[in-house]
Amino acid sequence: MTNANGLAVLRQFLMEYGSILGLSWTAVFGLYVAGIRTQDGTVLLAAFLGLFIILGLTFMLGMRAKVRSVQLQVRLSPFFSFVNIFSMFMYASLLCGAMEYAYFQFLDKGALSGALQTMFADAELRMAYQQMGMLETYKQLREIITEVGTLSALDKVLLLFNQNFFVGLIVAIPVTITYWFYKPKAAAL
């Protein structure tokens, strides 16, 4: 039996947690873009490390949702736990997509695609791919970057949204398992 008012409040908390997750995804996207545009490896490393921080944040928010559900006396089946946790990822994807759209539509003006094309036009990078026997892969990557550069801002955001959707779908499974088996301590309640 599920407490209907408690479930509504839990969904509001999950929306809030999804907003936190979406803002953190946007921050990592910003670091990635800054690293590519400036070709600064330190910034790219920070973006990469940010992904691991976000993964930890995701599990922390899942456990926090469990604490809230216990406080609100909401008991969910495993399926509805998954649906509610996945909704947190959907909120994050929507917020991050809106921010990415604003970036591509108003700020980018093709600079990110240009930086990627410049990076892949480097003779040393081509030589490295050739030495590894991956020259065909190198050519495919250059074609993909060129094609992505021709897409509209909305098309780029839809590509990123699809990626966020499927990553959220996959990560929601272990977060739901954590949610289902996590037993909050009395001090957390």
Side-chain angles (χ1 to χ4, degrees):
M1 185 77 159
T2 301
N3 176 357
N5 291 334
L7 184 58
V9 173
L10 179 64
R11 287 188 178 146
Q12 289 173 350
F13 280 116
L14 288 170
M15 197 180 308
E16 180 182 316
Y17 298 159
S19 299
I20 293 168
L21 201 56
L23 290 174
S24 60
W25 286 1
T26 303
V28 168
F29 174 76
L31 283 172
Y32 173 75
V33 167
I36 292 293
R37 288 179 75 169
T38 62
Q39 296 198 4
D40 184 0
T42 308
V43 178
L44 287 172
L45 180 62
F48 184 70
L49 293 174
L51 293 175
F52 288 105
I53 293 169
I54 288 174
L55 190 61
L57 175 67
T58 302
F59 282 95
M60 185 200 76
L61 292 174
M63 290 187 289
R64 187 72 185 140
K66 178 65 173 199
V67 170
R68 292 291 187 188
S69 67
V70 170
Q71 287 174 340
L72 297 167
Q73 299 175 347
V74 174
R75 294 181 51 127
L76 297 175
S77 69
F79 175 74
F80 284 111
S81 301
F82 174 77
V83 168
N84 283 296
I85 294 293
F86 181 66
S87 72
M88 179 176 74
F89 287 101
M90 289 308 302
Y91 298 131
S93 294
L94 290 172
L95 179 61
C96 189
M99 299 290 197
E100 288 166 346
Y101 179 77
Y103 169 76
F104 284 121
Q105 184 67 30
F106 303 114
L107 300 175
D108 184 50
K109 307 293 186 213
L112 181 62
S113 296
L116 285 169
Q117 287 175 353
T118 301
M119 186 171 74
F120 271 87
D122 187 31
E124 290 179 19
L125 185 64
R126 179 185 165 90
M127 195 65 124
Y129 271 89
Q130 191 171 11
Q131 288 174 350
M132 292 185 291
M134 298 176 59
L135 191 57
E136 192 61 38
T137 303
Y138 172 80
K139 291 176 184 177
Q140 289 174 351
L141 285 172
R142 283 197 65 174
E143 287 176 21
I144 290 170
I145 290 170
T146 303
E147 288 177 23
V148 168
T150 64
L151 296 176
S152 70
L154 183 61
D155 291 334
K156 290 175 187 175
V157 169
L158 288 174
L159 283 173
L160 292 171
F161 181 81
N162 284 337
Q163 173 189 330
N164 291 343
F165 177 86
F166 285 109
V167 167
L169 189 64
I170 292 167
V171 175
I173 294 168
V175 172
T176 302
I177 292 169
T178 303
Y179 171 89
W180 192 250
F181 290 108
Y182 176 65
K183 304 291 184 221
K185 303 208 179 346
L189 300 174

